[in-house]
Amino acid sequence: MKQFLFSSVMLSLLVSTSSLFPVLIYPSKRTDSTETSSTKFKSMSGTRIVDLSFCFWVKVNHLMGAKVLNYELKDTKGFGFTLQEHYGFLNLKIVDLLFDYNSPHVPDKWSHFCVAYDSSVESVTIYMNGKVTFEKHGLDALDGIEFHENLLSHVTVGTGGGGFSQPFNGEFSQFMVWNKVIRQEDVEREMECGDVNKEGLELDWTTVNMERGDTVLMKDMEAGCPSAVDEDTESLAGFSQRVKFDEAGTACLALGGRQDPPTGEEEVKKISESLGGLKDMCNSKFWVPVRQQSGRWVSTASSSLVSYLPWTPGQPNGGRHQACAEAKFNKINGSFQGYNDLNCGKSIRCFFCYIKNSKRFRLRGMCLQAGVDDHFIGSVETKHQVTRPYWKGYRTTEISFSTSSNSWNIKDISTEQVVATYNGSFIWPVGRKSWHVPAGVCGPEDTVKDLTLSSCSDSEFTCGDGTCIPLESKCDGMSDCKDELDESDCSVVEFPKQRQYKESLPPIGRLGKEIIPAKVDVSIDIMSVTDIKETSMKWGCKLQLNMTWLDGRLRWRDLRENSNLNVITNQDQGSQEPGQVFPVQPSIWVATVIFANSPNNDFSVTDAKASLTVEKKGNLSISPLEQLQEVAYYEGSENPVTYMRKFKKDFACNFQLHTYPFDTQYCNIVLQTPDHLTGLMKLLAKKVTYSGPVEMLQYNVINWEIKELEEGLEVMMTLQRRFNHHLATTFIPTFCLMIVCQSTLYFNAEHFKTTSGVTVTTMLVMYTLYQAVSHKLPPTSYIKMIDVWLIFGLILPFCVFFLLVLIDHLPTVHPGEAT
């Protein structure tokens, strides 16, 4: 059994649930932990425990791995509980159960854990902050193994330091142990520090005797219960660094803080007290976050009118040249004198900021081999009357100001090694700054590396000065950062880094040895029918071709809701020669189709008239912290890329004129896959639209559709001829001529000269019309309907003329003559 050096004082606490709760405080740093950094429970009964449940509150100082509960003996009859950065361990008898956290586990924040073990079904349930975070049934390995008869006498809080692994550094409270299985309602009651369920209670935190190591302290929790601790409170920080007005506001925002104008003299005095060196270092003055806009004094945070403006006599007197304000105090007695207006860009003053306690920060851009933390908790510290921010890493790193070197250092507190130094002009190292990295940290030589220290959330982008803007405002064509950093790197395409990307190869899949072709959805908008050439068997149209596909080999960056903002530009597509506006071949794969029934078998091209856009559909993932700036990545397998281009082309059409001019024509556009992509790309019919006029000079567009073929797609346009013109200019006149010609049969025989002239004239007119109409039509080997009509119109006058001649040559029977 481990040997401990325990303090000689035995502490017995008898505290009711309505009183303050005792809290164990362990050394804040791992290096301060000793072999006595643990706590034992004394005078525990030897009750045999069958079903085990326990709950506790814990707050760790770092996430290096803390063995919160430790079983001293070497046998397999106890339990332990360990917290790591991203997951935890429950050691139960002979099994180790790894569980994930259901909420962020961060340093310096209270978390509540409960464990319920049911031996009857060999199941374990772990609760975090009142919710189930792990559950497992059927742990047959535990069957037949019993707990130690004096189990709780051999369980310690913490495992000590020195040669011991994973010492606990932090605070611990409200440890309760039951010889039964607790339920969800019991967990919720424990989390709220309600009435303790006494049934089966084996260890009561409020009455247990504890034996603490000499490095373990104890205090009473003022809030009464950890769940009542408000960890998102704000603190007023006064900074004696003298800066310009805008720099003061930026410095506060970069720390995730806020600046609101004082609402009264009491608050002004409170701010002055936060500035320890107000007289000596600030000359008894500090900036007030109000500004003159359009003749009105407004808050810099909300742009609302400020009601409390205690101007000193004669102030403000600077007009538009002095649009900022300071609070001034008497240098002798320290009394508040009032506000003065100042020049915003020339005057320098101290300033204040309301900063959230335990504000979370992230460090971006550091090399992985440096081994520094990338998550930090921000706070402020005051040394020699100077208040500065301080960042404590989740594990072993801190960022602080060194007065000896007059620089900001990133330091590994476990080895005291300085891994980066910043001594730039900005008062804080927040935002994107250039750090000096010594040799051996990121490489064999000293380097200058850009790093980003940010308080921004996952949904925000960090500007160069540390201020935050919404991530969706990045690369939207409008600069939101003062340094325009949000519009500096707006490429859409992220190519794979671990493998070669072949732009000549479609994004095919594989199922065993079978190749799954890339699927390309094709949509066509026929904007207008430009020409119909029946004599040359062609028709022309203006169309927009849209092809959409998924490329799982790529990732897209910072996509917008409007796909027109997600254009793949020349920078994305690849290098180009000087003076070349568009590259010949983009560096991403682009689907290509052949217009198979065009005169030259033309194919789709990616040129200045084409566009490639990406549509945002899938969920985003934020760039890893080793990357310098926040980038919203979207998987190419979820967010499709679309090719769009307008074409004006002629296509072959097999006009069938048998029923001309009452005919209906079916003209098509045939799209085929290029030979080199056969079996690698499949065209899928999505939709076809027609946005041109339905009624044209000769035809009406009555239908349009798209269908899939074996080797491509076919777009079919149905055109119905408008016969009104032919009816008015051909059929009705010829019909009238036929009637006139036919009527000559009813004239008296003595008018032969007249009727014969009419029939001959009718035949000549019909022949002239026939020649005029036939000249406009393509010559065909078959007879068209209009040909039948006109030929009939030629034959009818001939027949009538023949009948007239025949009638004229018939013998005439006079009255009284025998027939």
Side-chain angles (χ1 to χ4, degrees):
M1 181 181 298
K2 299 181 181 68
Q3 299 297 318
F4 293 91
L5 298 176
F6 293 106
S7 60
S8 58
V9 179
M10 299 292 294
L11 184 63
S12 177
L13 296 172
L14 297 173
V15 186
S16 66
T17 57
S18 60
S19 303
L20 302 180
F21 290 105
V23 178
L24 296 178
I25 303 174
Y26 287 75
S28 59
K29 295 182 179 180
R30 177 166 294 220
T31 53
D32 296 336
S33 297
T34 67
E35 295 184 4
T36 63
S37 298
S38 63
T39 301
K40 296 189 66 173
F41 302 101
K42 306 299 292 183
S43 303
M44 301 303 301
S45 63
T47 305
R48 179 175 175 268
I49 294 179
V50 178
D51 295 329
L52 174 69
S53 299
F54 60 87
C55 295
F56 60 87
W57 281 96
V58 64
K59 179 167 68 173
V60 297
N61 289 348
H62 55 72
L63 302 180
M64 281 291 289
K67 186 165 286 189
V68 181
L69 297 175
N70 178 53
Y71 180 62
E72 294 181 306
L73 304 182
K74 300 297 184 180
D75 57 34
T76 58
K77 297 183 177 182
F79 68 91
F81 201 90
T82 304
L83 297 178
Q84 301 278 5
E85 182 174 2
H86 301 294
Y87 51 85
F89 278 103
L90 170 65
N91 174 257
L92 188 66
K93 297 180 181 179
I94 65 170
V95 299
D96 288 328
L97 302 175
L98 184 149
F99 62 91
D100 294 320
Y101 303 127
N102 57 21
S103 59
H105 180 53
V106 297
D108 298 338
K109 183 176 182 179
W110 283 104
S111 294
H112 187 255
F113 291 93
C114 286
V115 174
Y117 165 62
D118 189 346
S119 62
S120 62
V121 293
E122 300 295 353
S123 67
V124 173
T125 304
I126 302 177
Y127 302 84
M128 180 179 180
N129 297 327
K131 297 180 180 179
V132 175
T133 190
F134 176 86
E135 192 169 17
K136 190 171 183 64
H137 301 276
L139 293 170
D140 297 334
L142 300 178
D143 190 22
I145 302 177
E146 298 181 353
F147 287 112
H148 194 281
E149 58 184 6
N150 294 316
L151 174 62
L152 299 181
S153 298
H154 300 290
V155 173
T156 64
V157 180
T159 185
F164 296 90
S165 63
Q166 298 180 316
F168 171 52
N169 303 109
E171 300 180 15
F172 184 89
S173 185
Q174 284 299 100
F175 185 42
M176 300 286 186
V177 182
W178 293 268
N179 187 5
K180 71 166 193 172
V181 180
I182 61 173
R183 305 301 177 190
Q184 178 75 44
E185 55 271 20
D186 299 319
V187 173
E188 294 174 357
R189 185 166 54 249
E190 282 299 311
M191 186 175 174
E192 298 299 327
C193 302
D195 295 334
V196 178
N197 187 343
K198 299 293 185 178
E199 181 184 355
L201 185 64
E202 295 292 331
L203 190 154
D204 188 346
W205 181 255
T206 61
T207 60
V208 67
N209 293 327
M210 288 180 280
E211 189 174 25
R212 296 181 286 112
D214 56 5
T215 58
V216 182
L217 304 178
M218 179 174 282
K219 70 173 183 180
D220 287 334
M221 181 176 292
E222 297 179 358
C225 184
S227 61
V229 176
D230 186 2
E231 295 173 332
D232 294 326
T233 57
E234 292 182 330
S235 298
L236 173 62
F239 297 103
S240 56
Q241 294 85 350
R242 299 173 68 181
V243 295
K244 296 178 182 179
F245 184 83
D246 289 336
E247 293 175 352
T250 299
C252 180
L253 291 175
L255 297 178
R258 63 177 179 87
Q259 282 187 316
D260 289 334
T263 56
E265 184 174 345
E266 182 179 350
E267 187 174 354
V268 175
K269 291 181 178 179
K270 183 179 179 181
I271 295 171
S272 68
E273 294 171 357
S274 69
L275 292 161
L278 177 64
K279 178 180 179 181
D280 299 331
M281 305 183 69
C282 299
N283 198 23
S284 298
K285 304 171 185 177
F286 61 85
W287 285 119
V288 178
V290 296
R291 194 166 200 156
Q292 185 182 182
Q293 291 182 356
S294 303
R296 306 182 306 166
W297 289 89
V298 299
S299 166
T300 57
S302 62
S303 298
S304 58
L305 287 174
V306 178
S307 58
Y308 179 70
L309 292 170
W311 299 107
T312 58
Q315 296 288 330
N317 61 2
R320 62 183 179 88
H321 300 288
Q322 296 183 341
C324 297
E326 67 170 2
K328 184 178 181 181
F329 287 77
N330 188 290
K331 294 182 180 180
I332 299 176
N333 57 25
S335 62
F336 175 55
Q337 293 182 325
Y339 288 177
N340 294 331
D341 61 343
L342 291 177
N343 187 294
C344 303
K346 294 182 179 180
S347 303
I348 56 174
R349 294 290 185 269
C350 299
F351 65 99
F352 69 93
C353 183
Y354 288 95
I355 300 176
K356 288 185 178 180
N357 297 324
S358 302
K359 179 66 177 179
R360 309 299 190 248
F361 285 76
R362 288 177 293 186
L363 181 67
R364 286 185 166 272
M366 179 58 82
C367 57
L368 293 176
Q369 57 265 38
V372 301
D373 292 344
D374 46 30
H375 287 79
F376 292 82
I377 296 175
S379 59
V380 294
E381 61 178 4
T382 302
K383 294 181 180 179
H384 309 294
Q385 293 186 331
V386 178
T387 301
R388 293 185 179 91
Y390 166 82
W391 292 271
K392 168 188 171 183
Y394 277 22
R395 295 165 59 85
T396 62
T397 311
E398 70 173 12
I399 304 176
S400 61
F401 184 80
S402 173
T403 55
S404 59
S405 61
N406 197 33
S407 63
W408 292 90
N409 295 331
I410 301 178
K411 184 172 66 173
D412 188 332
I413 59 175
S414 63
T415 61
E416 297 297 323
Q417 178 190 7
V418 175
V419 296
T421 301
Y422 170 75
N423 53 10
S425 59
F426 196 70
I427 59 173
W428 318 140
V430 184
R432 182 181 295 190
K433 301 294 181 289
S434 295
W435 293 72
H436 174 262
V437 180
V441 176
C442 290
E445 299 179 356
D446 290 2
T447 59
V448 176
K449 193 173 184 64
D450 285 344
L451 302 177
T452 300
L453 182 62
S454 171
S455 64
C456 304
S457 66
D458 285 340
S459 61
E460 294 178 315
F461 175 79
T462 306
C463 299
D465 56 12
T467 55
C468 305
I469 64 170
L471 192 57
E472 58 265 22
S473 298
K474 181 187 176 188
C475 296
D476 61 354
M478 297 177 288
S479 297
D480 297 281
C481 296
K482 295 179 181 178
D483 56 2
E484 300 185 351
L485 187 63
D486 56 318
E487 301 296 326
S488 63
D489 182 12
C490 293
S491 58
V492 176
V493 183
E494 179 81 7
F495 291 95
K497 295 181 173 60
Q498 303 298 327
R499 61 174 178 171
Q500 182 183 6
Y501 180 85
K502 295 183 179 180
E503 66 271 13
S504 61
L505 184 66
I508 58 176
R510 190 178 296 276
L511 183 61
K513 295 183 178 181
E514 181 182 356
I515 293 179
I516 302 176
K519 297 179 180 179
V520 179
D521 291 333
V522 178
S523 299
I524 292 181
D525 177 22
I526 299 177
M527 306 170 68
S528 63
V529 177
T530 57
D531 197 9
I532 296 178
K533 302 177 182 178
E534 296 165 334
T535 56
S536 56
M537 292 292 183
K538 294 180 181 178
W539 76 293
C541 69
K542 184 178 181 181
L543 60 93
Q544 177 172 300
L545 174 65
N546 298 341
M547 295 186 291
T548 303
W549 65 92
L550 297 169
D551 195 338
R553 302 169 296 177
L554 300 173
R555 289 196 301 174
W556 311 116
R557 298 162 51 101
D558 301 316
L559 297 182
R560 310 292 98 202
E561 293 292 341
N562 186 348
S563 60
N564 290 331
L565 295 175
N566 305 326
V567 179
I568 301 176
T569 62
N570 295 347
Q571 180 181 358
D572 299 306
Q573 293 175 342
S575 60
Q576 56 194 41
E577 298 296 330
Q580 182 181 355
V581 179
F582 281 82
V584 176
Q585 174 64 41
S587 59
I588 72 167
W589 179 81
V590 178
T592 304
V593 295
I594 297 175
F595 298 99
N597 62 332
S598 63
N600 299 318
N601 284 339
D602 299 331
F603 58 89
S604 59
V605 293
T606 305
D607 55 10
K609 297 180 181 180
S611 67
L612 292 172
T613 59
V614 183
E615 183 181 2
K616 185 174 78 170
K617 284 188 174 181
N619 297 322
L620 63 87
S621 60
I622 301 300
S623 55
L625 293 176
E626 57 265 24
Q627 194 166 326
L628 183 60
Q629 70 175 15
E630 298 91 342
V631 178
Y633 284 116
Y634 296 83
E635 294 299 326
S637 59
E638 299 176 353
N639 303 272
V641 57
T642 298
Y643 166 93
M644 292 184 291
R645 191 187 188 278
K646 292 181 174 64
F647 295 89
K648 184 178 180 182
K649 291 189 175 297
D650 289 336
F651 301 96
C653 181
N654 186 17
F655 289 94
Q656 298 294 326
L657 303 175
H658 294 84
T659 58
Y660 182 91
F662 304 101
D663 54 322
T664 299
Q665 303 299 332
Y666 300 92
C667 295
N668 62 359
I669 303 172
V670 179
L671 303 178
Q672 290 184 350
T673 303
D675 291 340
H676 68 281
L677 295 178
T678 302
L680 303 180
M681 182 181 80
K682 181 175 178 56
L683 301 179
L684 301 178
K686 189 175 182 182
K687 67 176 181 178
V688 61
T689 57
Y690 176 72
S691 55
V694 174
E695 295 183 354
M696 298 184 295
L697 292 177
Q698 297 186 57
Y699 289 92
N700 289 334
V701 182
I702 61 174
N703 191 33
W704 48 90
E705 61 182 1
I706 186 171
K707 63 180 180 179
E708 297 180 8
L709 304 177
E710 183 177 351
E711 296 182 354
L713 302 174
E714 181 185 39
V715 177
M716 183 67 71
M717 293 286 292
T718 304
L719 307 175
Q720 187 179 62
R721 191 181 302 274
R722 304 179 66 184
F723 56 82
N724 305 32
H725 170 74
H726 296 279
L727 188 66
T729 60
T730 302
F731 287 97
I732 293 178
T734 55
F735 180 71
C736 293
L737 288 172
M738 291 178 190
I739 292 177
V740 170
C741 182
Q742 180 72 18
S743 64
T744 58
L745 294 174
Y746 302 98
F747 286 16
N748 292 329
E750 59 268 20
H751 299 298
F752 173 75
K753 292 183 179 181
T754 303
T755 56
S756 62
V758 170
T759 56
V760 172
T761 302
T762 301
M763 186 167 57
L764 292 175
V765 173
M766 293 293 290
Y767 179 76
T768 302
L769 285 174
Y770 178 68
Q771 290 294 323
V773 173
S774 298
H775 182 72
K776 297 179 183 180
L777 298 178
T780 60
S781 60
Y782 51 84
I783 297 177
K784 298 175 282 296
M785 179 180 289
I786 196 169
D787 295 334
V788 175
W789 175 262
L790 292 174
I791 292 173
F792 175 74
L794 287 173
I795 295 175
L796 179 63
F798 175 78
C799 295
V800 171
F801 180 77
F802 179 79
L803 289 174
L804 290 174
V805 173
L806 184 62
I807 293 172
D808 185 65
H809 286 76
L810 288 176
T812 302
V813 179
H814 298 283
E817 296 182 359
T819 60

